[in-house]
Amino acid sequence: MSELKNRIDFVYIFDVQDGNPNGDPDAGNLPRVDAETGMGLVTDVCLKRKVRNYVQVAKECAAGYDIFIKEKAVLNTLIDAAHEEDTVKTASDKTSAARDLMCKKYFDIRTFGAVMSTGKNAGQVRGPIQFTFARSVDPIAAMEHSITRMAVATEKEAEKQGGDNRTMGRKATVPYGLYVCHGFISANLAQQTGFSEEDLALFWDALKNMFDVDRSAARGLMSAQKLVVFKHESVLGNAPANKLFDLVKIEKVCDGAPRKFDDYKVTIEKNNLPTGVTVEELI
């Protein structure tokens, strides 16, 4: 495995058409929105979940690529199992040994970090990759649609309707939204968790393809549109991340409400790159 030796900052741009990119369970599962500006939001947790799902499908939980936070997992059972390994049993510092073992075994731990002090204690891991919330470029219009189902769940419902057997429901969508997420990759933390260049390549693949392995009627058409990567020459970095993100400009070029990615123009001011930083468009 090749050690990561450069700090990286990135801009991830994706869109949704006629779907709900991230419902809020505290608001009837309506699309998340900034109440003051009307801008749509997608949480970092939602995006990390999609990365985990992609890696789980792509690697089939092969050695070194298992997923710690996955459906129906019992986390303390996994932590306790690490303490049953011979390398941990014979270690003088069992907590540190268990932590190192968990990093080697689980892709999402060495990528995003984890709190593993809830069981037999495998410590805590600060992950080298972190996301911000994704925020839409323009205010979104969250819409609710009435839907029907030509069936009922129980005989009692059928009797109540006299055999009509029709049920009603609601579905929330965003007609169109272009979302921007900012990400950070620490080479220093990557060296501590064992996150490698090979892991980074898999992470980029996940960002490019994760929507295609996570389709659902509720999410409509979600697509990765741009992935702009700023690579620093040094471990600690050569420029502030916010200054690099400001070089990515997104401009609406249509009249009226945007309804597709081509209604925007994305440009990168490459001539203004700070010394020691390079930029690459992976999408």
Side-chain angles (χ1 to χ4, degrees), residues 34-239:
D34 181 332
E36 292 186 327
T37 65
M39 303 299 187
L41 299 174
V42 173
T43 67
D44 60 321
V45 175
C46 174
L47 296 173
K48 289 176 181 178
R49 174 75 273 148
K50 296 182 190 303
V51 171
R52 287 181 170 101
N53 290 347
Y54 176 84
V55 172
Q56 186 173 349
V57 171
K59 290 294 187 178
E60 298 181 332
C61 296
Y65 293 97
D66 203 350
I67 299 298
F68 183 59
I69 307 292
K70 61 184 175 185
E71 188 176 4
K72 298 181 180 179
V74 181
L75 303 185
N76 279 3
T77 299
L78 302 178
I79 295 169
D80 294 350
H83 278 267
E84 298 303 315
E85 296 286 340
D86 291 338
T87 54
V88 178
K89 282 183 175 181
T90 58
S92 56
D93 186 342
K94 291 180 172 52
T95 298
S96 295
R99 175 190 180 277
D100 292 344
L101 180 66
M102 297 291 278
C103 285
K104 290 177 182 178
K105 184 174 182 179
Y106 296 102
F107 175 85
D108 56 335
I109 291 179
R110 64 177 180 271
T111 303
F112 302 129
V115 175
M116 299 178 292
S117 54
T118 55
K120 288 186 177 180
N121 195 1
Q124 297 185 22
V125 176
R126 286 186 61 197
I129 298 184
Q130 300 301 331
F131 290 112
T132 64
F133 275 30
R135 180 177 291 269
S136 66
V137 176
D138 288 304
I140 61 169
M143 305 180 68
E144 283 194 278
H145 312 273
S146 295
I147 56 176
T148 60
R149 182 177 68 178
M150 305 301 293
V152 292
T154 66
E155 290 287 348
K156 186 176 181 180
E157 288 180 285
E159 292 173 6
K160 185 177 180 180
Q161 294 193 27
D164 187 40
N165 291 11
R166 185 187 302 267
T167 53
M168 301 289 293
R170 300 190 70 77
K171 183 176 184 178
T173 67
V174 174
Y176 184 80
L178 185 66
Y179 290 77
V180 180
C181 170
H182 299 108
F184 317 90
I185 305 178
S186 166
N188 179 50
L189 291 176
Q191 292 167 14
Q192 294 179 30
T193 68
F195 184 85
S196 65
E197 289 282 359
E198 290 79 6
D199 289 331
L200 180 61
L202 179 59
F203 175 71
W204 294 143
D205 285 343
L207 292 186
K208 294 175 188 177
N209 302 306
M210 64 189 188
F211 295 124
D212 288 318
V213 298
D214 192 45
R215 297 293 182 194
S216 79
R219 283 188 283 274
L221 178 59
M222 295 188 69
S223 307
Q225 297 291 0
K226 282 285 183 182
L227 177 55
V228 182
V229 177
F230 296 97
K231 186 174 182 179
H232 300 252
E233 286 185 354
S234 68
V235 170
L236 295 180
N238 300 82

